[in-house]
Amino acid sequence: MSIAKKRLSPEESRSVALEAARLILIEMGPQAVTLKAVASRVDRTHANLLHHFGSAAGLQKALAAYLADTVCETIGAKMAASPPGERNVREIVDLAFDAFGEGGAGALATWMAATGNEGALDPVIDAIHRLIDGMAPDAHEKRLMHEDTLALVLMAMGDAQLGGPMADALALPRDTARALACELITGRIAAFWAAQNPVSDRPA
């Protein structure tokens, strides 16, 4: 169903187009995210979408940034709601895996890279940097978060592409990769805080 045509500000028009692109990504895959498809979904002209994004590659990159910003904002809010030693790591892991899996970010990044869209992961990396820079002012904690984020993103992207078949082939539960990611990050956080304050009984 098309969104009713009405006068929108440039920011509103761009936001509506990106949300439509997100739905197309989830419903039909990254190859279906084109200017023509999004224009049809939001009842706008191809020229209008071209004005906002410049090309299909520009649309896909903007969509990657939109997805990354959305999930990083959600993760940031959850992290800010709890002290470092009391954060629900599994909840954060699930948000990342969901974004790359059901949310389509993994398929989109892989498609962009495969089709020569330079800097396919730049929007994701930029969003993560903003999240970490805002949450970890200490250089040592920031490095820990960079390392954990590297592991989490690689595991989430791999799980989005091959997690189902691999788990079936090894007769493992489908969420095994999530559980392993949670175990890895929880253990690293506990070790970090123990090293920072060895006499403290601060929880992991």
Side-chain angles (χ1 to χ4, degrees):
M1 179 181 295
S2 296
I3 297 173
K5 196 167 187 176
K6 64 177 182 178
R7 183 177 295 278
L8 299 173
S9 70
E11 293 77 14
E12 289 172 330
S13 182
R14 182 180 174 87
S15 179
V16 166
L18 288 173
E19 180 59 21
R22 184 186 71 83
L23 294 175
I24 292 170
L25 171 66
I26 293 170
E27 294 166 8
M28 295 180 280
Q31 71 283 352
V33 181
T34 64
L35 293 170
K36 181 178 179 181
V38 173
S40 176
R41 180 70 66 101
V42 299
D43 196 21
R44 291 297 190 267
T45 65
H46 181 276
N48 180 268
L49 271 293
L50 194 64
H51 170 74
H52 285 294
F53 303 106
S55 64
L59 169 64
Q60 292 166 359
K61 195 164 186 177
L63 176 58
Y66 177 68
L67 295 173
D69 286 343
T70 299
V71 72
C72 282
E73 286 174 9
T74 303
I75 290 174
K78 290 188 177 298
M79 291 177 68
S82 303
E86 299 175 12
R87 289 169 184 158
N88 187 330
V89 175
R90 180 55 189 259
E91 190 173 32
I92 294 170
V93 166
D94 283 343
L95 285 168
F97 272 69
D98 288 346
F100 282 96
E102 292 90 337
L108 178 63
T110 301
W111 172 263
M112 289 168 65
T115 55
N117 191 336
E118 294 184 2
L121 285 178
D122 286 353
V124 177
I125 293 169
D126 289 344
I128 290 170
H129 270 300
R130 289 194 297 273
L131 170 64
I132 292 174
D133 289 347
M135 296 298 300
D138 177 79
H140 296 293
E141 188 177 355
K142 187 176 294 185
R143 179 176 177 82
L144 173 76
M145 290 183 69
H146 280 163
E147 293 171 347
D148 287 348
T149 299
L150 172 66
L152 178 57
V153 170
L154 290 176
M155 292 178 78
M157 286 191 67
D159 186 73
Q161 300 300 311
L162 298 171
M166 285 293 292
D168 288 345
L170 296 169
L172 294 171
R174 179 64 184 88
D175 69 343
T176 298
R178 296 182 184 226
L180 291 172
C182 184
E183 182 179 333
L184 170 68
I185 294 171
T186 300
R188 283 172 49 79
I189 291 172
F192 173 81
W193 286 114
Q196 294 297 305
N197 193 7
V199 298
S200 172
D201 59 356
R202 186 176 186 172

